[in-house]
Amino acid sequence: MLTLFSLQTLVLVSYFFFMTRTSHASTLGSPTDPVIQGLLDQCLNNETIYNAFSVAPGFEFGRCPHLIDCIMTSSSEAAKAGMSAGSNIAALIPTMLALIGGSPFELVRLAFLSPFRALATCLFGVGLPTNLFAQLQRHPQPSSSAPIEFPASVHHGVLQFAFLLSVPRRRRTVVFRIALDVSILFVAAIMLWRNWRVGTTTMVTWRCEWRWLLFYWPFICIAWWLSAVGSLCGMARKIEVFRESDKSQSSWRALFMMSYSVRKESKVTKRRADLQKKETKTNARSQVQAPPVLSTPPDDDPTLIVRIEFRSEAHWRWWSTAVQAAAVAIYLYATFVLCSVLFLTGNEAIAYAVTMASSLSAIRIMTALI
């Protein structure tokens, strides 16, 4: 688990340094659009344009507003309408990802089972729960919502959730799950690449010299996830992992490896299975109704419980409030940035939105299959 987490961290850090080096590239608009590229070349290399402005157009601080004025003045109305449509479509992306993505509690819960799946899920947004800030109510209503939502309250400061895991019985199942994990990382890389491509070809109107505003979106989400899980571990008095059947203690490593370990049946289980087969054959010959199937012994119980004991219920309320407020702030940041992008055509915005929404949907589907 540590090796996989370190590898993903290395990839993300490499992406960060790569994007900071390319965020000031002298390009705008789609490289395949001859109109915008011609206007960009004209505004940067034409001395007549230089004389028309008090400061020469460029990408640096104080010069990029003149570059925007130059390009927009020379653009046709159709091109301006396309850019307006592109920014409107891009502004819907954070809302689409918030609807598709996992809620804050689900992402924190998933961290105990698979950290890199949780990172891939929250890479470009955190879903907002329907019971947002319900834990601040003085008398919270009983909730019948799914466990992916934040509980309105915890009993005596104890938060508890269960993982009913399907332990593989064959090696092919383990190989299939590993292939799904690799596919999840590949799809997350596609989302990073598409975000980098859009970030290098657009400008934000209110901070045109800051070409890295869109690049910081995934890193803000990762910082949110790390701080949420880290503060949860820091504010908890005790965190336990145990089996539901016999209350025997387990560990995070066992919880993580449970999905990739082939279940070895005990001698008692094999003996019961053999007796069941013999009784079935005997009853079939004598045409007597077969007895009920014997229950699975406790040793093979695949349910693990994670029990988090907070120092007090107030710690739980403040932690969950801070986590949800930060998720709302991330949503607003992404919305404001994408609402203000320039030089993003309608076709590019549609490709951007479809790629991000379909990629996150694929990640959610593959995570559910594991």
Side-chain angles (χ1 to χ4, degrees):
M1 180 176 64
L2 182 61
T3 304
L4 290 173
F5 188 76
S6 301
L7 179 60
Q8 188 174 20
T9 303
L10 179 62
V11 172
L12 292 173
V13 171
S14 301
Y15 169 80
F16 173 77
F17 282 106
F18 177 72
M19 67 87 177
T20 53
R21 292 179 64 90
T22 57
S23 61
H24 296 283
S26 300
T27 181
L28 281 178
S30 175
T32 59
D33 188 354
V35 177
I36 188 66
Q37 295 304 318
L39 293 175
L40 177 63
D41 182 70
Q42 178 182 355
C43 292
L44 292 177
N45 302 319
N46 195 332
E47 294 183 358
T48 305
I49 300 295
Y50 282 7
N51 297 329
F53 294 94
S54 57
V55 179
F59 293 92
E60 296 79 11
F61 175 78
R63 298 175 59 188
C64 56
H66 300 288
L67 179 61
I68 294 175
D69 290 340
C70 177
I71 295 177
M72 297 303 290
T73 303
S74 305
S75 300
S76 63
E77 293 300 324
K80 294 178 183 179
M83 295 179 192
S84 177
S87 62
N88 292 334
I89 295 172
L92 298 175
I93 294 178
T95 302
M96 290 189 293
L97 298 184
L99 293 174
I100 300 172
S103 66
F105 181 67
E106 182 183 4
L107 296 174
V108 173
R109 179 178 178 271
L110 187 58
F112 290 88
L113 182 61
S114 178
F116 63 88
R117 284 183 222 151
L119 275 176
T121 305
C122 75
L123 196 58
F124 282 95
V126 182
L128 301 180
T130 56
N131 59 343
L132 195 65
F133 303 121
Q135 70 279 357
L136 295 179
Q137 298 177 6
R138 299 182 65 88
H139 303 286
Q141 299 297 322
S143 175
S144 60
S145 59
I148 62 172
E149 303 285 2
F150 265 107
S153 62
V154 293
H155 184 65
H156 298 298
V158 175
L159 174 65
Q160 184 169 295
F161 44 84
F163 291 100
L164 180 58
L165 303 177
S166 175
V167 182
R169 297 180 181 272
R170 298 180 181 180
R171 294 186 182 275
R172 67 178 68 177
T173 305
V174 176
V175 174
F176 174 72
R177 291 181 175 178
I178 294 176
L180 285 179
D181 287 334
V182 174
S183 301
I184 288 174
L185 297 179
F186 177 74
V187 173
I190 293 177
M191 297 175 71
L192 288 172
W193 168 78
R194 173 59 70 173
N195 191 66
W196 164 81
R197 180 172 179 178
V198 172
T200 54
T201 57
T202 58
M203 277 185 174
V204 178
T205 55
W206 37 273
R207 279 293 182 268
C208 57
E209 68 275 7
W210 293 356
R211 304 290 299 278
W212 38 261
L213 288 174
L214 191 57
F215 291 118
Y216 276 11
W217 183 16
F219 291 98
I220 294 175
C221 296
I222 293 172
W224 170 89
W225 180 80
L226 292 175
S227 61
V229 177
S231 60
L232 173 65
C233 297
M235 298 179 68
R237 178 182 299 168
K238 184 170 56 176
I239 299 178
E240 296 177 325
V241 181
F242 56 89
R243 289 182 179 272
E244 185 181 32
S245 56
D246 55 1
K247 307 301 180 183
S248 61
Q249 293 293 323
S250 187
S251 63
W252 284 2
R253 183 179 182 277
L255 181 61
F256 175 78
M257 295 301 299
M258 200 170 182
S259 300
Y260 306 98
S261 302
V262 179
R263 179 188 296 184
K264 296 180 180 180
E265 295 183 350
S266 61
K267 295 181 179 180
V268 177
T269 305
K270 292 181 179 180
R271 190 178 302 171
R272 290 190 177 189
D274 293 339
L275 290 175
Q276 184 68 32
K277 290 180 181 179
K278 291 180 181 179
E279 291 177 1
T280 302
K281 292 181 180 179
T282 303
N283 294 329
R285 293 174 182 175
S286 59
Q287 296 182 353
V288 178
Q289 185 178 4
V293 179
L294 298 174
S295 59
T296 305
D299 294 338
D300 293 335
D301 184 20
T303 304
L304 289 180
I305 304 295
V306 177
R307 183 178 183 273
I308 303 174
E309 181 179 345
F310 284 85
R311 302 183 189 277
S312 66
E313 189 168 349
H315 284 79
W316 153 255
R317 293 181 183 277
W318 285 111
W319 175 81
S320 56
T321 301
V323 166
Q324 294 180 73
V328 174
I330 293 173
Y331 170 78
L332 294 177
Y333 172 84
T335 303
F336 292 156
V337 171
L338 289 172
C339 275
S340 308
V341 292
L342 287 175
F343 311 113
L344 181 66
T345 62
N347 293 334
E348 287 288 327
I350 291 174
Y352 183 34
V354 171
T355 300
M356 302 296 282
S358 59
S359 297
L360 185 57
S361 299
I363 291 175
R364 297 277 289 167
I365 293 172
M366 288 186 287
T367 301
L369 291 177
I370 296 177

